[in-house]
Amino acid sequence: MPKKNELHSRKSLAEGRFLRIDELQFTDRRGKNRRWETADRVNSRGAAIIIAEIVPDSTLILVRQFRPPAWQYVIEFPAGLIDPGESAAATAVRELREETGFEGEVVRVLPESTSSPGMSSEKMVVILMKVDGSRYRDGLPPSFQEENEDIETLLVPKKGLLDFLEAEAAAGTGIDAKLLHYALGLEQ
């Protein structure tokens, strides 16, 4: 039976307001000494990713926002950091309203997962929400974005989502991998 990986040290290389870069020294299960750099969030329990569908329209509520690390606008699901003492479901309700103005009902909370485990220990929880379309027939509701947010709400039919994303990517807009994977899943 192979040995378990054994962590020897975790040294902080840099820390900012939201991120910390650490260096891990460990022995892998084969007995080889390894070194790995990792980026971790500080002051957060992870992120809530919101898949919000307007019913009965089968329309998704997406956002296009400027993401400085990518240095471009990126289309993605609404999302937000889970505050200390807050549940992922409560975060989803709060963030959907703040980013888009829409209010919805949590339908399902999926298991915690990782989005980029080769680089970060950050956890995310996908929350499925339904939004009653009859409440929003007069257009987009006002959002309640924070001063540092640059977010545009997009309403995109589920049918044709992949084509929409491919056209946006061809025009130079970034596409979040979680959204692209979701769109691919819809095509299957």
Side-chain angles (χ1 to χ4, degrees):
M1 176 157 215
K3 293 180 179 181
K4 291 184 177 181
N5 294 319
E6 183 181 343
L7 180 65
H8 300 293
S9 68
R10 179 181 209 106
K11 178 174 79 172
S12 180
L13 301 177
E15 186 168 335
R17 200 168 105 204
F18 298 107
L19 296 175
R20 182 183 66 238
I21 308 293
D22 287 348
E23 177 184 83
L24 308 177
Q25 299 278 344
F26 66 100
T27 302
D28 70 16
R29 64 184 182 89
R30 294 178 188 89
K32 182 146 176 79
N33 289 327
R34 304 275 183 189
R35 184 175 66 92
W36 201 274
E37 293 172 354
T38 177
D40 298 299
R41 287 217 181 260
V42 294
N43 303 318
S44 171
R45 294 185 19 252
I49 311 302
I50 307 151
I51 301 177
E53 181 179 346
I54 298 175
V55 292
D57 308 4
S58 291
T59 299
L60 294 171
I61 302 170
L62 305 177
V63 295
R64 179 188 344 248
Q65 65 180 310
F66 185 72
R67 292 297 198 175
W71 205 251
Q72 70 182 141
Y73 284 88
V74 177
I75 297 175
E76 55 195 72
F77 290 116
L81 296 178
I82 301 170
D83 289 339
E86 186 177 48
S87 71
T91 298
V93 169
R94 175 179 54 78
E95 286 289 343
L96 184 66
R97 184 172 185 277
E98 285 177 8
E99 290 188 359
T100 70
F102 284 95
E103 294 182 9
E105 167 190 351
V106 172
V107 175
R108 190 168 184 186
V109 178
L110 296 172
E112 188 176 77
S113 61
T114 59
S115 61
S116 187
M119 183 188 82
S120 174
S121 66
E122 180 180 45
K123 303 292 187 210
M124 63 180 220
V125 178
V126 175
I127 311 292
L128 303 179
M129 293 182 73
K130 298 285 183 199
V131 174
D132 179 0
S134 66
R135 293 183 58 195
Y136 301 101
R137 295 293 179 221
D138 295 332
L140 293 176
S143 66
F144 303 90
Q145 298 173 30
E146 295 177 19
E147 180 272 327
N148 63 337
E149 292 179 314
D150 181 3
I151 301 172
E152 173 190 4
T153 301
L154 304 173
L155 302 182
V156 181
K158 284 174 73 171
K159 185 176 174 71
L161 176 62
L162 186 58
D163 291 336
F164 169 78
L165 295 176
E166 288 177 320
E168 286 289 327
T173 304
I175 308 298
D176 182 83
K178 295 176 289 300
L179 178 57
L180 183 59
H181 296 158
Y182 178 86
L184 285 168
L186 289 176
E187 295 284 314
Q188 301 307 310

